Amino acid sequence: KQQQQQQQASQDLVFLTRHGARIDKEDRAWLRKAGHGRHDDPHLSQGGEVGAQELAARMLEIHQDTPISHIVSSPFVRCVQTAQPVAEALGLPIKVEPGICEILQTFPPGFLNTADLCADFPQVDVSYQPMVQRHQLSSEYSDYQAARRAQQAATSVRQRLQGPILFVGHGASCLGIAQAFGGDDYIGYTSLTTFVRSGGSWRVSGPFGDVAHLSDKATSLGSAF
């Protein structure tokens, strides 16, 4: 019975973060330097990489007390790049889920396929079958559309996977993921929000969009829209 209770409790826990600070917000020549032509797929800035490492350190602290079972990331490089140090620290693969990707104002999206991502990010799990496939996505014109799509995808992921999950998304998709689990606002770069389910209802546990683990709190707080 105790084992059943522990298993149930693991189903009642979700963590949410947003990718780190983006290079395109700091360097207008980033795309020419990157050389890949995917203008909707910028990587992290140096500050974003620092934020990802600090997030990894915080997630490791949590993991030692409450083991995380899954890391589920948007396929855009800035999210997978944020998830990578967390995955390395926790010894977990990265499950790539197009259902929680960025708002699709650029369509078709330029994100890489999972097999291509794995070449640069070895923690990517090529065996994971996403809830939403690339070909099922469609163009979007508002945060509301992206949030609703991500909300549905995250809910389905939570129902399918056993154990605590860390979702790594974007502004609009994180809004939708938050709405799936009892929140209703934007979060900042590499912030951390915890959601718990009690009595059949999800709620936020602790600070929403917590930045206590970040050395650059101002950039994260300023991105929360």
Side-chain angles (χ1 to χ4, degrees), residues 147 174-187 193 195 204 208:
C174 283
L175 172 63
I177 297 168
Q179 290 169 338
F181 302 113
D184 191 20
D185 205 352
Y186 293 90
I187 61 171
T193 303
F195 303 91
V204 178
F208 185 85

Side-chain angles (χ1 to χ4, degrees), residues 71-163:
I71 300 170
V72 179
S73 174
S74 158
F76 283 97
V77 163
R78 54 193 177 276
C79 286
V80 182
Q81 193 177 0
T82 300
Q84 179 71 22
V86 181
E88 291 174 349
L90 274 53
L92 292 173
I94 300 169
K95 295 175 169 63
V96 175
E97 178 55 66
I100 64 168
C101 75
E102 180 67 288
I103 178 174
L104 296 172
Q105 292 175 317
T106 296
F107 196 84
F111 63 75
L112 295 170
N113 291 323
T114 301
D116 294 323
L117 281 169
C118 194
D120 291 324
F121 304 100
Q123 299 295 122
V124 166
D125 181 0
V126 294
S127 69
Y128 173 71
Q129 294 298 312
M131 299 303 305
V132 179
Q133 303 280 349
R134 178 194 285 266
H135 71 267
Q136 295 174 297
L137 297 169
S138 57
S139 60
E140 297 165 341
Y141 302 97
S142 70
D143 280 11
Y144 169 79
Q145 289 176 294
R148 185 178 179 185
R149 178 248 303 152
Q151 180 181 11
Q152 293 171 342
T155 298
S156 296
V157 169
R158 175 65 286 176
Q159 291 171 346
R160 181 208 282 180
L161 299 179
Q162 300 287 328

